[in-house]
Amino acid sequence: MSGLVIDPKKCTRCGLCIQQCPFNAMAMVEGQVQINAACKMCRMCLRNCPSQAISEQTNASEPQIDKSKWHDILVYVEHSDGRIHPVTLELIGKAQELAQVIGQQVNCLMIGDQIEAAADSLLDYGVANVYLYEDPRLKYFRADNYTEVFEDCIQRNHPTVVLVGATVSGRSLAPRTAARFRTGLTADCTVLEMRENTDLVQIRPAFGGNIMAQILNTNHRPQFATVRYKVMDAAQKQARIGLVVSCSIDSAKLDSKIEWLKIEKKEQEVSISDAEILVAVGRGVKDEKTLALIETLAQRLHAQMACSRPFVESGRYDVKKQIGLSGRTVKPKLILTFGISGTIQFTAGMKGAEKIIAVNTDPQAPIFDLAHVAVVGDAGLIAENMLKEMEGEAVCSAN
Ligand SMILES: Cc1cc2nc3c(=O)[nH]c(=O)nc-3n(C[C@H](O)[C@H](O)[C@H](O)COP(=O)(O)OP(=O)(O)OC[C@H]3O[C@@H](n4cnc5c(N)ncnc54)[C@H](O)[C@@H]3O)c2cc1C
């Protein structure tokens, strides 16, 4: 653990650190600046102290990790009966970029039953080793025995970084496994960068999207990060260089306390994350007549409807349609937004869209900073005009 210390000889008691601390963790006590337990180590005070009176002190008794013993990047393969979730390819793509910086390789971990063909298909993406654990008891995801396998794989291979998709099962598995190694995990990273000393810079929005936090795990390995679907670019196919490595584990570890009673196949839902064209509505779409016009426009465009958070909060749309920090991340070829201001919490979920057309009455709306086409005007009027223009014309395509 490290902490911040104030050198009373250098401190001029200017009070700047107290004013700037976002956590109210600093106070003047009996003429001395003191740091209290609310400190989150954001280091804002350290960076801005005009007399450089604040420094970081690491606990000398904490043993320093030997980073050279941890190498390569391990990607957890999310799949359902061998059908690989596309987030896996996105993680492999990012892992390859990161591995290149440190001259190391990308490996995958795949757990299941009779999934060798699927494991082999990952070699098309330049993966060095796919560690494959197969057993009938691993056919379906179970948090307890999957964690055992994950731990086993990490113990054998010592990856410096582990990437997991921020899916329902990924969000359950990654923290359990990270806890086994007493290491940190950064959830829902939006940017990942690698330093030459193998420290992973994990960047994600924090405090309601008001800051982009850079999180480092400098004295623990492996470094665990989860990444949402559609945030990174998918790996491209390349020459096969790797191997599928069949792995085994003490059979007793595969016994699970979780019993699958029944598996019911749900009708496949089309998620907004997979849509090529999206039409998103926000608080500026006030009445049902305007909404109906915009929905007709979406139908003509073969687009899916999506929305900002107020639309969900007011009960007009289901939460599955919400884009943003607390909603879904989307990366369509085209998105049209109507009556959405473009707060960071919304744009965090859609700024990867290839083409953004925004409609808003306010010419200063922040969404226009991001939009490729800015339309200043009333949502209902613009939708009506677009429909009229399209009358008798061929239906648009995303290209
Ligand atoms: C922790 C946290 C997480 C959050 N997560 C999300 C999230 O995931 N997704 C999300 O969307 N929000 C999220 N929010 C909320 C976010 O901060 C904003 O409140 C929200 O995005 C605003 O939605 P909006 O743009 O629809 O509404 P507003 O910001 O109210 O904007 C409405 C816009 O409509 C325009 N307008 C008004 N009338 C018309 C008209 N007739 N025609 C055209 N334009 C018109 C206005 O000029 C305005 O720009 C989160 C907030 C917090 C604190």
Side-chain angles (χ1 to χ4, degrees):
M1 288 288 286
S2 59
L4 298 178
V5 286
I6 301 171
D7 181 346
K9 290 194 194 112
K10 285 188 183 169
C11 177
T12 60
R13 283 97 179 139
C14 68
L16 189 69
C17 54
I18 299 172
Q19 274 170 34
Q20 288 189 341
C21 177
F23 305 104
N24 289 328
M26 308 189 87
M28 193 73 76
V29 181
E30 294 172 1
Q32 301 284 340
V33 179
Q34 286 193 0
I35 302 173
N36 63 40
C39 175
K40 301 275 185 298
M41 290 296 291
C42 72
R43 301 173 181 80
M44 182 99 95
C45 54
L46 185 150
R47 280 195 293 271
N48 294 331
C49 175
S51 49
Q52 287 161 7
I54 305 171
S55 58
E56 189 171 343
Q57 219 172 44
T58 48
N59 186 348
S61 62
E62 189 179 8
Q64 295 298 299
I65 187 143
D66 180 356
K67 293 177 187 173
S68 67
K69 291 197 171 138
W70 298 81
H71 49 83
D72 301 335
I73 300 181
L74 183 68
V75 171
Y76 172 72
V77 180
E78 169 97 23
H79 70 96
S80 158
D81 255 348
R83 280 190 316 278
I84 295 171
H85 190 296
V87 73
T88 305
L89 297 185
E90 295 175 3
L91 295 180
I92 293 173
K94 178 43 79 176
Q96 275 160 346
E97 263 176 61
L98 300 172
Q100 218 167 20
V101 178
I102 49 176
Q104 297 185 7
Q105 61 189 26
V106 176
N107 301 317
C108 285
L109 162 64
M110 194 160 179
I111 309 172
D113 188 32
Q114 299 185 5
I115 48 166
E116 193 171 350
D120 184 76
S121 73
L122 291 165
L123 300 179
D124 290 339
Y125 297 92
V127 172
N129 296 293
V130 182
Y131 303 118
L132 177 64
Y133 289 76
E134 286 184 302
D135 189 280
R137 288 167 289 178
L138 296 171
K139 185 166 173 61
Y140 299 113
F141 174 76
R142 284 187 279 199
D144 53 0
N145 59 9
Y146 268 55
T147 304
E148 295 290 350
V149 172
F150 212 156
E151 182 185 5
D152 183 80
C153 183
I154 291 172
Q155 251 160 9
R156 285 170 198 262
N157 300 295
H158 283 95
T160 185
V161 169
V162 179
L163 300 182
V164 181
T167 58
V168 175
S169 51
R171 283 183 169 143
S172 161
L173 186 59
R176 285 169 204 272
T177 315
R180 298 263 173 118
F181 292 88
R182 296 184 178 276
T183 185
L185 177 147
T186 307
D188 287 2
C189 295
T190 52
V191 182
L192 292 170
E193 289 166 7
M194 182 61 90
R195 292 191 175 162
E196 281 174 12
N197 69 353
T198 72
D199 282 350
L200 182 70
V201 186
Q202 301 155 85
I203 304 174
R204 57 151 298 153
F207 303 111
N210 291 313
I211 62 162
M212 290 301 283
Q214 295 205 0
I215 299 161
L216 280 118
N217 194 0
T218 54
N219 197 31
H220 292 86
R221 291 292 185 269
Q223 305 162 88
F224 267 81
T226 64
V227 180
R228 284 198 206 181
Y229 178 37
K230 290 279 174 182
V231 170
M232 308 290 179
D233 293 328
Q236 299 299 315
K237 284 200 173 174
Q238 49 185 278
R240 288 165 71 98
I241 49 154
L243 286 173
V244 174
V245 182
S246 232
C247 306
S248 58
I249 175 174
D250 175 4
S251 177
K253 290 192 173 177
L254 298 184
D255 291 336
S256 172
K257 293 193 175 68
I258 303 164
E259 194 183 339
W260 279 88
L261 297 177
K262 190 165 138 197
I263 292 164
E264 271 180 36
K265 289 244 184 234
K266 209 169 77 158
E267 217 172 279
Q268 189 84 32
E269 277 179 18
V270 193
S271 159
I272 57 169
S273 298
D274 293 316
E276 293 211 328
I277 310 181
L278 281 172
V279 174
V281 282
R283 192 156 24 209
V285 176
K286 295 171 199 126
D287 56 79
E288 295 312 302
K289 190 174 157 228
T290 307
L291 181 60
L293 274 171
I294 296 170
E295 285 176 340
T296 310
L297 179 68
Q299 273 174 10
R300 288 295 314 270
L301 292 168
H302 290 322
Q304 275 199 62
M305 289 299 298
C307 65
S308 64
R309 187 152 119 175
F311 234 73
V312 174
E313 286 169 341
S314 64
R316 293 169 87 188
Y317 271 2
D318 187 87
V319 68
K320 287 181 189 153
K321 294 211 173 291
Q322 181 188 321
I323 295 175
L325 208 56
S326 53
R328 303 205 174 189
T329 306
V330 298
K331 219 176 184 180
K333 289 189 174 171
L334 170 68
I335 182 167
L336 284 95
T337 69
F338 287 90
I340 291 179
S341 60
T343 58
I344 187 156
Q345 293 87 1
F346 174 79
T347 56
M350 50 70 78
K351 58 178 186 245
E354 276 178 35
K355 189 118 194 154
I356 302 167
I357 302 176
V359 180
N360 198 304
T361 42
D362 175 8
Q364 307 301 328
I367 191 81
F368 289 150
D369 298 339
L370 201 68
H372 302 97
V373 179
V375 184
V376 179
D378 174 73
L381 268 177
I382 303 293
E384 202 173 351
N385 283 334
M386 285 175 91
L387 278 166
K388 276 189 191 147
E389 286 285 321
M390 286 167 71
E391 248 162 50
E393 285 178 17
V395 171
C396 283
S397 88
N399 301 309

